[in-house]
mmCIF file of all heavy atoms in Angstrom:
data_model
loop_
_atom_site.group_PDB
_atom_site.id
_atom_site.type_symbol
_atom_site.label_atom_id
_atom_site.label_comp_id
_atom_site.label_asym_id
_atom_site.label_seq_id
_atom_site.Cartn_x
_atom_site.Cartn_y
_atom_site.Cartn_z
ATOM 1 N N ARG W 208 -14.688 69.160 -72.741
ATOM 2 C CA ARG W 208 -14.046 67.846 -72.673
ATOM 3 C C ARG W 208 -13.328 67.612 -71.349
ATOM 4 O O ARG W 208 -13.079 66.473 -70.971
ATOM 5 C CB ARG W 208 -13.040 67.700 -73.819
ATOM 6 C CG ARG W 208 -13.696 67.584 -75.192
ATOM 7 C CD ARG W 208 -12.676 67.728 -76.294
ATOM 8 N NE ARG W 208 -13.255 67.517 -77.624
ATOM 9 C CZ ARG W 208 -12.687 67.901 -78.754
ATOM 10 N NH1 ARG W 208 -11.518 68.529 -78.713
ATOM 11 N NH2 ARG W 208 -13.271 67.673 -79.912
ATOM 12 N N THR W 209 -12.983 68.704 -70.659
ATOM 13 C CA THR W 209 -12.215 68.565 -69.423
ATOM 14 C C THR W 209 -13.019 68.879 -68.176
ATOM 15 O O THR W 209 -12.459 69.151 -67.128
ATOM 16 C CB THR W 209 -10.977 69.479 -69.468
ATOM 17 O OG1 THR W 209 -11.393 70.840 -69.729
ATOM 18 C CG2 THR W 209 -10.010 69.031 -70.538
ATOM 19 N N GLY W 210 -14.357 68.848 -68.279
ATOM 20 C CA GLY W 210 -15.157 68.900 -67.061
ATOM 21 C C GLY W 210 -16.044 70.101 -66.865
ATOM 22 O O GLY W 210 -16.689 70.207 -65.822
ATOM 23 N N THR W 211 -16.113 71.050 -67.816
ATOM 24 C CA THR W 211 -16.961 72.228 -67.649
ATOM 25 C C THR W 211 -18.267 72.029 -68.411
ATOM 26 O O THR W 211 -18.298 72.152 -69.644
ATOM 27 C CB THR W 211 -16.240 73.495 -68.151
ATOM 28 O OG1 THR W 211 -15.013 73.637 -67.443
ATOM 29 C CG2 THR W 211 -17.101 74.722 -67.918
ATOM 30 N N LEU W 212 -19.335 71.731 -67.679
ATOM 31 C CA LEU W 212 -20.633 71.463 -68.306
ATOM 32 C C LEU W 212 -21.543 72.688 -68.309
ATOM 33 O O LEU W 212 -22.664 72.623 -68.814
ATOM 34 C CB LEU W 212 -21.335 70.322 -67.560
ATOM 35 C CG LEU W 212 -20.613 68.969 -67.567
ATOM 36 C CD1 LEU W 212 -21.355 67.981 -66.674
ATOM 37 C CD2 LEU W 212 -20.501 68.421 -68.967
ATOM 38 N N THR W 213 -21.063 73.795 -67.745
ATOM 39 C CA THR W 213 -21.915 74.972 -67.564
ATOM 40 C C THR W 213 -22.562 75.458 -68.864
ATOM 41 O O THR W 213 -23.748 75.815 -68.850
ATOM 42 C CB THR W 213 -21.109 76.105 -66.923
ATOM 43 O OG1 THR W 213 -20.507 75.627 -65.716
ATOM 44 C CG2 THR W 213 -21.995 77.291 -66.601
ATOM 45 N N PRO W 214 -21.839 75.505 -70.010
ATOM 46 C CA PRO W 214 -22.513 75.987 -71.231
ATOM 47 C C PRO W 214 -23.753 75.173 -71.590
ATOM 48 O O PRO W 214 -24.751 75.735 -72.044
ATOM 49 C CB PRO W 214 -21.422 75.853 -72.302
ATOM 50 C CG PRO W 214 -20.133 75.938 -71.552
ATOM 51 C CD PRO W 214 -20.399 75.264 -70.245
ATOM 52 N N LEU W 215 -23.703 73.853 -71.369
ATOM 53 C CA LEU W 215 -24.854 73.017 -71.731
ATOM 54 C C LEU W 215 -25.961 73.105 -70.685
ATOM 55 O O LEU W 215 -27.143 73.159 -71.042
ATOM 56 C CB LEU W 215 -24.399 71.562 -71.905
ATOM 57 C CG LEU W 215 -23.350 71.316 -72.996
ATOM 58 C CD1 LEU W 215 -23.119 69.827 -73.178
ATOM 59 C CD2 LEU W 215 -23.775 71.941 -74.321
ATOM 60 N N THR W 216 -25.603 73.117 -69.406
ATOM 61 C CA THR W 216 -26.644 73.220 -68.374
ATOM 62 C C THR W 216 -27.301 74.592 -68.405
ATOM 63 O O THR W 216 -28.520 74.710 -68.215
ATOM 64 C CB THR W 216 -26.057 72.936 -66.986
ATOM 65 O OG1 THR W 216 -24.945 73.819 -66.739
ATOM 66 C CG2 THR W 216 -25.583 71.499 -66.880
ATOM 67 N N ASP W 217 -26.514 75.650 -68.645
ATOM 68 C CA ASP W 217 -27.106 76.991 -68.757
ATOM 69 C C ASP W 217 -28.037 77.072 -69.965
ATOM 70 O O ASP W 217 -29.114 77.682 -69.893
ATOM 71 C CB ASP W 217 -26.005 78.048 -68.888
ATOM 72 C CG ASP W 217 -25.291 78.311 -67.571
ATOM 73 O OD1 ASP W 217 -25.754 77.779 -66.531
ATOM 74 O OD2 ASP W 217 -24.270 79.017 -67.573
ATOM 75 N N PHE W 218 -27.618 76.476 -71.075
ATOM 76 C CA PHE W 218 -28.468 76.468 -72.274
ATOM 77 C C PHE W 218 -29.795 75.779 -71.970
ATOM 78 O O PHE W 218 -30.863 76.274 -72.356
ATOM 79 C CB PHE W 218 -27.750 75.752 -73.416
ATOM 80 C CG PHE W 218 -28.544 75.701 -74.695
ATOM 81 C CD1 PHE W 218 -28.441 76.714 -75.629
ATOM 82 C CD2 PHE W 218 -29.417 74.644 -74.954
ATOM 83 C CE1 PHE W 218 -29.195 76.677 -76.806
ATOM 84 C CE2 PHE W 218 -30.159 74.600 -76.121
ATOM 85 C CZ PHE W 218 -30.047 75.622 -77.049
ATOM 86 N N TYR W 219 -29.738 74.643 -71.290
ATOM 87 C CA TYR W 219 -30.977 73.903 -70.987
ATOM 88 C C TYR W 219 -31.886 74.725 -70.079
ATOM 89 O O TYR W 219 -33.106 74.788 -70.292
ATOM 90 C CB TYR W 219 -30.637 72.583 -70.320
ATOM 91 C CG TYR W 219 -31.840 71.689 -70.097
ATOM 92 C CD1 TYR W 219 -32.479 71.080 -71.159
ATOM 93 C CD2 TYR W 219 -32.333 71.466 -68.820
ATOM 94 C CE1 TYR W 219 -33.591 70.273 -70.973
ATOM 95 C CE2 TYR W 219 -33.442 70.655 -68.614
ATOM 96 C CZ TYR W 219 -34.062 70.057 -69.687
ATOM 97 O OH TYR W 219 -35.159 69.258 -69.482
ATOM 98 N N GLU W 220 -31.293 75.371 -69.069
ATOM 99 C CA GLU W 220 -32.104 76.165 -68.145
ATOM 100 C C GLU W 220 -32.758 77.345 -68.847
ATOM 101 O O GLU W 220 -33.931 77.665 -68.591
ATOM 102 C CB GLU W 220 -31.228 76.648 -66.987
ATOM 103 C CG GLU W 220 -32.002 77.343 -65.885
ATOM 104 C CD GLU W 220 -31.146 77.618 -64.662
ATOM 105 O OE1 GLU W 220 -29.902 77.556 -64.784
ATOM 106 O OE2 GLU W 220 -31.708 77.880 -63.588
ATOM 107 N N GLN W 221 -32.026 77.992 -69.757
ATOM 108 C CA GLN W 221 -32.555 79.170 -70.443
ATOM 109 C C GLN W 221 -33.529 78.816 -71.563
ATOM 110 O O GLN W 221 -34.494 79.548 -71.809
ATOM 111 C CB GLN W 221 -31.394 79.990 -71.021
ATOM 112 C CG GLN W 221 -30.465 80.565 -69.964
ATOM 113 C CD GLN W 221 -29.122 80.987 -70.525
ATOM 114 O OE1 GLN W 221 -28.916 80.986 -71.747
ATOM 115 N NE2 GLN W 221 -28.189 81.348 -69.653
#
Side-chain angles (χ1 to χ4, degrees):
R208 290 168 176 162
T209 55
T211 303
L212 298 174
T213 306
L215 299 187
T216 55
D217 285 352
F218 180 89
Y219 186 70
E220 187 171 16
Q221 296 162 8

